[in-house]
Amino acid sequence: MSVQELAQISAKYGRNLSLIQGAGGNTSYKCYQSDCIWIKASGKWLGNALNENIFIPLKLSELKRSFLLDSTRSLHHHMIEHSVESGLRPSIETSMHALLPHKFVVHLHSTSVLAWLVQKDIESKIADRLAGLNWCLIDYVKPGASLTESILNTIKQDTNIILLENHGVVILGDSITEIFQLVRQVESKLYRPKRSTTPYANITSLLALSAGSDYRLPSYPDIHSLALDKSSYLAAIKGPLTPDQVVFLGDSIKTMTQSMNTDLKTENSASSPKMILLEGKGVLVNKHVCKTGEQLAYGLSSVLLKLPEKHVIRYLSDSEIMELINWDAETYRRSMTSSI
């Protein structure tokens, strides 16, 4: 029954664009009686949890023992036989899920929470808002084993909310009810409304500019705010904010003017910029961008519209970006979503 509960809560959160974008985030359930942890497969969508087999069962004790002996060891040998045949890989964050003692672990990419977590020096800013809750803040580190080690070195026995700088939030609980309550509290206490954007995208100009190229209008009109809202535009072009942005949208966002029409028509390959911002006009998206990438662009637009007027953004550094670009685990996850 608890695996079904995991599927239900995964689908609920995975279908909410303000909490999860595309194949991002992950969830798990531990059954200590059978020494098993059910974890979302890498590249799968939480929103599909009720109509697709997205979870992989792993031997919990062996997984924990392996991590403590060698945190970089592959997870494949822990996969129960029928999972091996499916060809799926466990989530990049499996070690974090396995070593946290709670039965349920839910990792979300909430846009309201991220609007805080991409700012510098935010611990003092959120302390009053989260008063009475058992939370901790983790400085940004590469997802996977490094993040797991950082979490284990930071959390206390009663910690059940983990905020990950430039990444997201992890909610811990021993029941679905507990998870629901904690997510509701965090979302309520850290909620930020979007700024309103009065200009509308210049669709006629964008269609003319993209004619004959590999670029198109975005599926989510809100993405245009990246070019229409001055503050969002200036923030977006300075660098990526989260690991998923690097993986699915690249390490930079191109800007151009209408006079660069000829250059745009030569940008006809999968290696071309994933998005192009035309300040004051709107956004064009490369046709090679998968649905996950486009939902991440929507998430980015939401995060930037939720930032307060006075803020200093912490962007991912060049070294942090390079850690992600050629990482085989992220290359696999990108390949799993490229056709979706």
Side-chain angles (χ1 to χ4, degrees):
M1 175 59 73
S2 292
V3 177
Q4 181 61 25
E5 288 181 313
L6 175 65
Q8 291 171 348
I9 195 172
S10 298
K12 175 182 174 67
Y13 293 145
R15 295 171 183 172
N16 185 338
L17 267 177
S18 67
L19 296 178
I20 290 290
Q21 302 82 44
N26 35 75
T27 60
S28 69
Y29 163 69
K30 300 180 188 72
C31 179
Y32 287 104
Q33 292 91 332
S34 58
D35 189 27
C36 181
I37 178 172
W38 293 83
I39 180 82
K40 193 201 84 164
S42 181
K44 290 294 184 178
W45 287 49
L46 288 174
N48 295 335
L50 292 177
N51 50 36
E52 184 183 347
N53 182 19
I54 72 168
F55 299 109
I56 296 177
L58 306 173
K59 289 291 187 182
L60 183 58
S61 59
E62 293 181 12
L63 182 61
K64 293 163 75 171
R65 185 182 308 114
S66 175
F67 180 85
L68 295 174
L69 291 174
D70 180 3
S71 63
T72 62
R73 192 177 180 188
S74 171
L75 296 170
H76 287 292
H77 64 292
H78 298 293
M79 297 171 65
I80 293 175
E81 186 175 353
H82 70 80
S83 300
V84 176
E85 295 173 356
S86 73
L88 299 176
R89 291 187 187 181
S91 168
I92 292 169
E93 307 290 8
T94 294
S95 58
M96 173 188 72
H97 285 260
L99 272 75
L100 291 169
H102 305 75
K103 288 183 179 180
F104 291 95
V105 177
V106 172
H107 173 34
L108 305 173
H109 294 166
S110 161
T111 56
S112 283
V113 177
L114 278 168
W116 294 100
L117 296 179
V118 299
Q119 298 179 55
K120 291 184 177 180
D121 303 319
I122 57 100
E123 190 161 10
S124 60
K125 299 177 184 179
I126 62 177
D128 288 342
R129 289 175 173 261
L130 296 177
L133 299 181
N134 299 315
W135 62 281
C136 70
L137 177 66
I138 306 294
D139 291 341
Y140 177 83
V141 293
K142 178 183 174 183
S146 298
L147 177 57
T148 300
E149 291 178 349
S150 183
I151 288 174
L152 294 178
N153 289 333
T154 305
I155 62 171
K156 299 178 181 179
Q157 187 173 359
D158 61 352
T159 301
N160 53 17
I161 300 167
I162 306 173
L163 301 175
L164 309 177
E165 189 177 55
N166 289 85
H167 192 161
V169 58
V170 180
I171 304 295
L172 315 174
D174 288 322
S175 71
I176 290 297
T177 299
E178 188 177 354
I179 294 292
F180 276 139
Q181 290 174 343
L182 287 171
V183 170
R184 190 182 303 114
Q185 286 180 299
V186 171
E187 284 295 298
S188 174
K189 291 177 180 293
L190 295 183
Y191 172 75
R192 294 201 63 88
K194 293 182 182 180
R195 293 190 305 277
S196 60
T197 54
T198 50
Y200 293 96
N202 189 330
I203 301 300
T204 301
S205 178
L206 293 172
L207 288 174
L209 181 60
S210 60
S213 78
D214 272 3
Y215 288 86
R216 58 175 175 79
L217 296 175
S219 301
Y220 302 94
D222 286 9
I223 292 174
H224 288 301
S225 69
L226 292 171
L228 302 177
D229 180 81
K230 182 71 172 181
S231 179
S232 294
Y233 175 82
L234 293 175
I237 63 178
K238 289 181 181 178
L241 303 181
T242 67
D244 276 6
Q245 185 184 342
V246 174
V247 173
F248 293 102
L249 292 175
D251 59 342
S252 64
I253 295 176
K254 185 173 181 178
T255 62
M256 64 187 306
T257 63
Q258 195 162 6
S259 63
M260 299 170 69
N261 190 16
T262 303
D263 290 340
L264 178 58
K265 290 181 178 179
T266 65
E267 299 278 11
N268 289 329
S269 73
S271 61
S272 300
K274 301 296 188 293
M275 284 197 306
I276 297 177
L277 309 189
L278 290 93
E279 186 178 9
K281 295 184 180 296
V283 176
L284 291 172
V285 177
N286 191 302
K287 74 175 186 180
H288 295 287
V289 171
C290 63
K291 189 175 179 180
T292 287
E294 197 156 15
Q295 288 202 358
L296 282 165
Y298 171 87
L300 174 64
S301 69
S302 296
V303 169
L304 294 180
L305 282 177
K306 291 180 178 183
L307 285 171
E309 290 185 7
K310 295 182 179 180
H311 64 267
V312 180
I313 295 177
R314 181 204 179 276
Y315 295 93
L316 297 188
S317 68
D318 290 343
S319 61
E320 290 166 347
I321 291 170
M322 290 307 299
E323 283 185 321
L324 297 165
I325 287 178
N326 297 315
W327 189 18
D328 65 329
E330 291 291 24
T331 300
Y332 169 83
R333 188 161 69 111
R334 190 163 50 241
S335 71
M336 286 291 290
T337 61
S338 60
S339 61
I340 301 176

